[in-house]
Amino acid sequence: MSALHQATLAELGDLIARREVSAVELTRHFLDRISALDAQLNSFITVLPERALAQAKAADARLARGEGGPLTGLPIAHKDIFCARDTRTTCASRMLEGFVAPYDATVVQRLDAAGVVTLGKTNMDEFAMGSSNETSFFGPVRNPWDTARVPGGSSGGSAAAVAAGLAPAGTGTDTGGSIRQPAALTGLTGLKPTYGRVSRWGMIAFASSLDQAGTLTRSAEDAALLLAAMAGFDAKDSTSVEAAVPDYAAALNAAPEKLRIGVPKEFFDEGLAPDVASCVREALAEYERAGATLVEIELPNLHLSVPTYYVVAPAEASSNLSRFDGVRFGHRAADPADLLDLYERSRGEGFGAEVKRRILTGTYVLSAGYYDAYYLKAQQVRQLITNDFARAFESVDLIMGPTTPTPAFELGAKTADPVQMYLNDIYTIGVNLAGLPGISVPCGQIDGLPVGLQIVAPHFGEAPLLAAAHRYQQATDWHRRWPAGWA
Amino acid sequence: MSLSHDDVRKIARLARLNVSDAEVAEVADKLSSILGMVGQLQATNTAGVAPMAHPLDAAQRLRPDEVTESDARDAYQANAPQVENGLYLVPRVIE
Amino acid sequence: MTWETVIGLEIHTQLATRSKIFSGSATTYGAAPNTQASLIDLGYPGVLPVLNAEVVRMAIRFGLATGCTIAPRSIFARKNYFYPDLPKGYQISQYELPIVHGGHLDIELADGARKRIGITRAHLEEDAGKSLHEDYHGMTGVDLNRAGTPLIEIVSEPDMRSAEEAVAYMRRIHQLVRWLGISDGNMQEGSFRCDANVSIRRQGEPKLGTRTEIKNLNSFRFVDRAIRFEVERQIEVLEDGGRVVQETRLYDPDADATRPMRSKEEANDYRYFPDPDLLPVVIEDALIEQLRSTLPELPEARRARLGTQFGLSDYDAGVLTASREVADYFEAVVASVPSAPKLAANWVMGELGGALNRDGLEIGASRIDAAALGGLVARIEDETISGKIAKEVFEAMWAGEGSADAIIEAKGLRQITDTGALEAIVDEVIAANPSQADELRAGKDKLLGFFVGQVMKRTQGKANPGQVNALIRARLK
């Protein structure tokens, strides 16, 4: 048995069930690690010791009564994009530096109800716009595998915290790869469910037709545990799907022997680092050894996913972020001369450079004379990309490939060129455009840096997705590797 | 696709975002490069393709016409920068 | 030079739902500021809209009543602009695919002729809040109670050619939305207001002139005044060799003039796009048919039926179908006195209408219910009382003194029909006025009225004037 902070949720749940550790002890252990170590990573924006200990005490009481479920008393960290009642919720923006949410996101409410303990709110790219966690108003997050490198983004705080053992698991959101990419870069399992699987209520919107909440964990088994509590219909979200939630934990061991795995040739293009390609090929070989068939497939429009995304996402974001106007909440500029000045300066001061770029891009592509050429065109191409996936899933059960083109890069390496930064999500974005579930699992290392294998399933195929990831993690131990200095 | 400084100022005004004279050149440069990248879409043949607004093909769910909310003004206005007599205050609006 | 006026109206009607279009907040008018503004209405970070079913049903009812096509699939879009009364920085509205389109409504012109006005479309949207311009240290206060109240915006074709036609159309829409029960139509409270698009062109010119849009007209009189002013203004501009500028204007009732709207000076670019938080609204035929089958008889049809069924003039039938409540009341009166529909009509339009007016009451709040008024009309019809006495009985009923029969009994108002008794009174009156009797015998017919009056006085109005008249003639001629 590894140390508490290296254990998975499932293992910690066993310890709690056997009364070998209490929820309070577990919570203190992680709170102590955060206060001792997070200065090196900057993975938390707000640590919530009082709330966490109160929840832990309540969980212990519940367990003492013989109540509670598999998650009761287990601590996790929430990305600071989820509103939590009476708790500061910043979205890593100056705009919301002092914002205290008066209500709970459905994700928070459901996990609270399951008895989960919230250690704190994690750092992220501002309004989830970024792939390196360098756009946060609260400063960049560092990758525990090499603190000179980024942890990926936008859910970089949750990723770094879990990878360094400051929390056993974390929530994240994935609009274009924001869970899977940081999971790949920090050696974690990152699950983005099907669009509509998890309620978006209380999750501060970036791009509404793409955003989806998910998990950053040490294993697929842990992802299944958390997803079971988070998923399901919510009447407060019109895009939430009224479909039964399968027993994900039970489905973990139900992967078919004759898995047909589609391998898109577009995923292995010239942009992919050769050593990442070989890690991924080795993982595919492992599946083959376990009885799967590899099928080369084509996703002919996939190369258009980045440009499509950078029309659709900024367009929706430009509108979603209009509510931050310095009137009802959020940053307000001092001594506005008039209404226009109030708006322009509150927003100019409250938003960082990347958020402004996306708002401006989105405003441009929706504006008169450009709508058809950009926005409408992007919506059409989005349909083509979605059709590509649908066609592929006619002949394969799952699609696999790399999560990112390279392992973690150094801080500052891509900040000067937004387009280079955007291309980092080239393999993950198509999955969001099509609304599909995807997962990244660790599948190797290059010079001590983790590499991720991405697995994609048809809509609502989380169970087979998790089962495939679990089977791989039964056969390999990449997901149990630990960054030096954080044991 | 290259945006002029005036283009940037026009979009910034539409988006109610202050972009200072010092920033405008850099913003124009970066936006131009982003728009250059998304410009790849123009070459794609999308004739007859229906635009896709949602990842799922579903219909809007309807909510029963019931009042479920009660007054929570004080809690909601705790985040407001400036309120008086229950009103949010803004610089004078002239219609 | 003769000019032709061209007018199209965009009428914004608040729908009479209990809760808002996308949230569970109450829509009650007049609550303390921001006490009916929920997280959704305030546009708080992370909140999402869910559509109110009743709003959809009401829009379909409106569409069916105006001959519109009900869209099997309609889309909510975001209209993006910044304004303090618009919390999210966008209004959720419908743009490319509105819920209903392509209908019409007939109006009646002053000469009695009918004219068909096209309804281009009607779409659903959320209302904005209110900016209060009283002075808060030189600032404006914002109340978001109204934000998110459901609206249906009814857009007409540019089919109206005068202020009178525009007002007639607006009145017909107002009548209809109240008739359907989809709006209270309260104009003081802003439940029913319109924007008028006004242009002029030379008589015979096929092309439309440049139009101006007059915003936020919240009374029929303002619509009339604003259009008249705007037409005169445009004529003056054109006749002076100028050009009409396409712009948004406001009507100032104090100045009785329109002026350009400051806040709309900047050219708008609303960047409409489909709202990704809302899915397409899909309307099944079964719902349309269910709503069609429960649609009330519409004003025009009911007016025609009242005319033929009860032999009423078209004018009277029009007055009695001004609202569904009036028509229902009238028909309930007739139901209790089926032999006297015309008399019933006269009493509903006359005494009852006057009393309601005097006390500022809607017919639903009448102090005399339809059956009770029918009871009174029945006593006139069977000649128990005269029309004149009936007015006295009506006032007593209005004052809550009981039913017509009870009042007639209590006050002894029953008409004297005993000929012998009346003859005796006639004889008394003749005996008391011998010289006038001689003059009448001599042919001074004017005095007949005098004698009838005297008899009526002595009977305290309980005699039948016709009968008295006949008796006097028989005695003196």
Side-chain angles (χ1 to χ4, degrees):
Chain A
M1 185 71 228
S2 49
L4 283 180
H5 54 267
Q6 292 190 12
T8 64
L9 287 176
E11 289 160 356
L12 293 173
D14 284 345
L15 292 179
I16 283 195
R18 294 201 304 269
R19 298 287 196 278
E20 285 178 33
V21 67
S22 72
V24 168
E25 286 164 346
L26 209 49
T27 300
R28 282 196 206 284
H29 178 76
F30 284 102
L31 288 173
D32 288 349
R33 277 187 68 84
I34 294 167
S35 71
L37 302 170
D38 195 41
Q40 299 171 55
L41 299 177
N42 195 27
S43 67
F44 280 84
I45 290 174
T46 308
V47 183
L48 300 165
E50 285 170 27
R51 179 187 159 110
L53 287 167
Q55 283 182 313
K57 276 183 196 143
D60 280 333
R62 210 167 145 183
L63 292 161
R65 294 194 300 272
E67 296 164 16
L71 291 172
T72 306
L74 300 181
I76 67 157
H78 279 301
K79 186 177 184 180
D80 204 18
I81 199 169
F82 293 102
C83 288
R85 195 187 182 94
D86 300 331
T87 301
R88 185 166 79 133
T89 301
T90 69
C91 244
S93 180
R94 184 185 181 197
M95 182 58 84
L96 292 176
E97 194 182 358
F99 178 77
V100 176
Y103 75 111
D104 278 330
T106 298
V107 163
V108 171
Q109 178 249 314
R110 289 191 176 176
L111 288 172
D112 280 0
V116 166
V117 172
T118 303
L119 295 167
K121 307 292 288 294
T122 57
N123 206 341
M124 52 185 280
D125 279 298
E126 185 182 7
F127 283 102
M129 297 177 191
S131 307
S132 64
N133 222 304
E134 293 169 286
T135 71
S136 169
F137 173 65
F138 299 93
V141 178
R142 291 169 182 275
N143 190 329
W145 292 90
D146 175 354
T147 54
R149 292 177 189 266
V150 303
S154 65
S155 310
S158 283
V162 177
L166 308 189
T171 57
T173 61
D174 190 318
T175 305
S178 281
I179 289 174
R180 290 159 290 155
Q181 184 254 16
L185 268 43
T186 58
L188 297 180
T189 301
L191 171 68
K192 178 207 106 71
T194 308
Y195 182 84
R197 180 82 283 187
V198 177
S199 170
R200 294 187 296 115
W201 173 263
M203 189 175 112
I204 298 175
F206 159 19
S208 311
S209 78
L210 300 159
D211 295 344
Q212 182 61 200
T215 57
L216 289 133
T217 57
R218 302 197 195 296
S219 68
E221 184 184 17
D222 283 4
L225 279 174
L226 279 181
L227 182 64
M230 290 161 66
F233 173 66
D234 180 5
K236 294 202 282 289
D237 175 1
S238 295
T239 61
S240 164
V241 173
E242 290 179 277
V245 178
D247 184 343
Y248 295 121
L252 282 174
N253 295 307
E257 293 297 323
K258 300 278 172 226
L259 206 55
R260 294 167 305 164
I261 297 171
V263 183
K265 58 177 191 182
E266 292 81 5
F267 273 21
F268 296 85
D269 61 356
E270 68 281 3
L272 182 64
D275 35 11
V276 172
S278 38
C279 287
V280 172
R281 296 250 183 239
E282 177 46 38
L284 294 171
E286 174 59 39
Y287 276 99
E288 262 188 314
R289 284 193 289 276
T293 315
L294 301 185
V295 183
E296 186 174 271
I297 58 166
E298 285 185 28
L299 298 170
N301 294 288
L302 194 77
H303 67 287
L304 295 169
S305 58
V306 173
T308 300
Y309 178 88
Y310 279 95
V311 172
V312 172
E316 294 182 9
S318 71
S319 177
N320 283 334
L321 270 59
S322 290
R323 69 193 62 209
F324 301 103
D325 59 3
V327 177
R328 296 164 315 287
F329 41 73
H331 177 75
R332 180 179 179 114
D335 306 318
D338 55 27
L339 189 63
L340 185 65
D341 187 45
L342 169 79
Y343 286 150
E344 292 191 338
R345 274 200 299 127
S346 297
R347 292 165 59 76
E349 295 165 3
F351 293 135
E354 179 62 22
V355 172
K356 286 187 205 175
R357 270 197 290 279
R358 304 230 189 161
I359 291 174
L360 293 171
T361 305
T363 303
Y364 181 80
V365 299
L366 288 175
S367 63
Y370 300 99
Y371 181 90
D372 286 2
Y374 287 98
Y375 186 74
L376 206 63
K377 190 80 177 176
Q379 280 198 321
Q380 290 174 309
V381 178
R382 184 177 183 179
Q383 187 64 62
L384 294 177
I385 292 166
T386 303
N387 295 348
D388 286 355
F389 278 104
R391 205 170 298 116
F393 281 122
E394 286 170 9
S395 54
V396 300
D397 302 307
L398 298 168
I399 292 172
M400 294 193 193
T403 307
T404 61
T406 65
F409 46 90
E410 289 182 352
L411 268 83
K414 299 187 179 185
T415 44
D417 185 349
V419 172
Q420 276 314 302
M421 186 70 90
Y422 297 169
L423 289 172
N424 213 10
D425 294 329
I426 188 157
Y427 305 130
T428 48
I429 273 177
V431 172
N432 297 79
L433 290 169
L436 299 166
I439 196 168
S440 178
V441 292
C443 71
Q445 290 196 348
I446 297 164
D447 302 333
L449 296 172
V451 171
L453 166 75
Q454 182 178 215
I455 313 173
V456 182
H459 288 129
F460 300 100
E462 283 83 359
L465 186 73
L466 288 163
H470 182 64
R471 167 177 287 186
Y472 179 73
Q473 293 183 336
Q474 299 298 101
T476 61
D477 70 347
W478 295 111
H479 64 296
R480 301 311 303 243
R481 303 289 174 100
W482 203 255
W486 297 88
Chain B
M1 187 67 223
S2 177
L3 287 187
S4 71
H5 293 190
D6 275 352
D7 291 336
V8 170
R9 288 194 184 92
K10 211 179 106 198
I11 308 162
R13 165 58 57 90
L14 209 50
R16 297 294 187 270
L17 270 182
N18 192 38
V19 176
S20 69
D21 290 345
E23 296 167 302
V24 72
E26 196 205 334
V27 171
D29 190 40
K30 288 190 168 160
L31 285 187
S32 298
S33 101
I34 294 167
L35 291 170
M37 182 267 289
V38 304
Q40 291 174 59
L41 295 176
Q42 308 312 325
T44 313
N45 181 6
T46 54
V49 179
M52 175 175 161
H54 285 283
L56 298 175
D57 186 22
Q60 177 61 35
R61 193 158 24 79
L62 302 177
R63 169 180 68 78
D65 181 24
E66 286 162 9
V67 176
T68 55
E69 299 292 324
S70 50
D71 174 27
R73 183 175 77 189
D74 292 349
Y76 298 163
Q77 290 192 338
N79 280 306
Q82 199 175 357
V83 289
E84 191 173 311
N85 296 337
L87 298 164
Y88 296 94
L89 294 193
V90 296
R92 199 155 197 54
V93 171
I94 301 151
E95 289 202 313
Chain C
M1 176 81 59
T2 45
W3 297 93
E4 183 182 41
T5 302
V6 176
I7 303 160
L9 295 186
E10 294 166 16
I11 298 178
H12 302 256
T13 305
Q14 282 185 358
L15 295 172
T17 52
R18 284 188 284 272
S19 64
K20 291 185 178 176
I21 182 167
F22 298 120
S23 83
S25 301
T27 53
T28 326
Y29 179 82
N34 292 306
T35 56
Q36 288 180 174
S38 68
L39 293 169
I40 293 173
D41 310 319
L42 294 169
Y44 248 76
V47 302
L48 297 167
V50 183
L51 182 60
N52 184 336
E54 193 57 27
V55 168
V56 173
R57 298 167 66 89
M58 286 178 166
I60 296 171
R61 286 159 63 83
F62 176 81
L64 290 173
T66 49
C68 283
T69 302
I70 315 293
R73 189 171 172 277
S74 63
I75 302 282
F76 280 100
R78 293 184 181 178
K79 178 181 183 179
N80 294 284
Y81 65 98
F82 287 87
Y83 207 65
D85 64 15
L86 188 71
K88 299 184 294 299
Y90 58 85
Q91 180 192 32
I92 304 177
S93 182
Q94 296 191 301
Y95 186 56
E96 281 185 339
L97 287 174
I99 190 153
V100 305
H101 67 274
H104 54 80
L105 200 59
D106 291 348
I107 60 168
E108 196 178 358
L109 305 179
D111 62 5
R114 302 283 160 107
K115 177 171 176 176
R116 176 153 291 193
I117 307 296
I119 292 173
T120 316
R121 58 186 275 161
H123 63 258
L124 291 169
E125 61 186 25
E126 55 180 347
D127 208 343
K130 273 182 195 163
S131 299
L132 304 173
H133 304 295
E134 292 107 55
D135 201 353
Y136 291 95
H137 337 288
M139 303 186 81
T140 291
V142 182
D143 174 10
L144 298 170
N145 279 349
R146 197 178 71 176
T149 299
L151 286 178
I152 187 164
E153 179 175 333
I154 303 155
V155 182
S156 82
E157 290 291 309
D159 283 350
M160 289 150 280
R161 293 291 173 269
S162 66
E164 291 92 330
E165 289 186 15
V167 171
Y169 167 76
M170 194 177 172
R171 282 191 188 279
R172 288 282 287 121
I173 295 280
H174 187 249
Q175 174 197 35
L176 182 65
V177 296
R178 294 174 73 226
W179 191 278
L180 295 171
I182 65 172
S183 176
D184 65 14
N186 190 320
M187 296 171 86
Q188 279 83 44
E189 293 176 1
S191 303
F192 191 84
R193 53 194 201 263
C194 93
D195 302 338
N197 289 300
V198 179
S199 65
I200 59 168
R201 62 182 169 190
R202 282 170 214 280
Q203 205 67 253
E205 165 71 45
K207 252 178 60 196
L208 292 173
T210 305
R211 68 187 161 91
T212 59
E213 182 179 10
I214 315 168
K215 282 273 182 202
N216 265 327
L217 299 163
N218 63 353
S219 83
F220 297 119
R221 197 169 68 85
F222 291 171
V223 170
D224 181 66
R225 298 300 312 166
I227 292 173
R228 284 176 197 278
F229 175 87
E230 186 57 19
V231 168
E232 286 309 310
R233 189 189 70 82
Q234 291 186 13
I235 290 175
E236 209 164 294
V237 168
L238 292 183
E239 290 190 344
D240 286 354
R243 296 175 65 173
V244 173
V245 181
Q246 180 162 356
E247 63 186 353
T248 306
R249 300 178 70 89
L250 268 187
Y251 174 68
D252 176 352
D254 296 326
D256 189 23
T258 67
R259 61 167 170 82
M261 209 166 161
R262 291 264 310 262
S263 56
K264 301 276 181 179
E265 272 170 14
E266 199 182 323
N268 275 313
D269 182 346
Y270 291 123
R271 290 158 284 137
Y272 281 99
F273 74 105
D275 191 331
D277 288 332
L278 291 159
L279 299 171
V281 179
V282 173
I283 297 173
E284 309 282 350
D285 286 347
L287 176 63
I288 297 175
E289 289 320 309
Q290 185 224 324
L291 292 173
R292 194 196 303 277
S293 68
T294 55
L295 213 58
E297 186 183 15
L298 296 176
E300 281 291 89
R302 197 160 184 185
R303 177 176 181 169
R305 178 173 63 77
L306 293 192
T308 49
Q309 186 175 342
F310 301 122
L312 304 178
S313 71
D314 186 51
Y315 176 82
D316 286 355
V319 173
L320 290 170
T321 50
S323 77
R324 210 166 123 195
E325 290 74 21
V326 171
D328 287 348
Y329 187 99
F330 166 69
E331 294 212 63
V333 175
V334 175
S336 71
V337 48
S339 57
K342 280 193 191 172
L343 196 57
N346 289 339
W347 275 83
V348 171
M349 292 185 293
E351 288 301 303
L352 183 77
L356 291 171
N357 237 346
R358 188 182 64 204
D359 290 7
L361 296 176
E362 293 292 325
I363 199 156
S366 170
R367 299 190 206 283
I368 301 177
D369 69 29
L373 187 66
L376 175 63
V377 173
R379 293 296 84 82
I380 306 165
E381 171 73 359
D382 67 13
E383 300 195 337
T384 304
I385 56 173
S386 67
K388 189 161 172 228
I389 290 291
K391 289 182 185 178
E392 192 184 330
V393 176
F394 179 88
E395 287 307 325
M397 290 171 77
W398 191 259
E401 292 174 27
S403 70
D405 286 340
I407 291 164
I408 292 166
E409 215 47 54
K411 298 195 172 184
L413 298 176
R414 186 173 289 275
Q415 204 157 248
I416 301 167
T417 47
D418 176 350
T419 313
L422 269 184
E423 277 171 351
I425 295 166
V426 167
D427 289 343
E428 279 171 41
V429 170
I430 290 169
N433 300 284
S435 61
Q436 284 92 335
D438 290 341
E439 285 177 58
L440 181 58
R441 279 193 196 94
K444 198 167 177 188
D445 272 4
K446 273 200 286 190
L447 282 165
L448 188 61
F450 165 78
F451 280 97
V452 172
Q454 289 299 308
V455 173
M456 294 307 284
K457 204 166 157 189
R458 289 198 183 212
T459 61
Q460 291 164 304
K462 288 183 285 184
N464 182 324
Q467 194 183 358
V468 173
N469 201 309
L471 288 174
I472 295 169
R473 280 180 183 279
R475 280 282 186 282
L476 295 180
K477 294 198 104 177

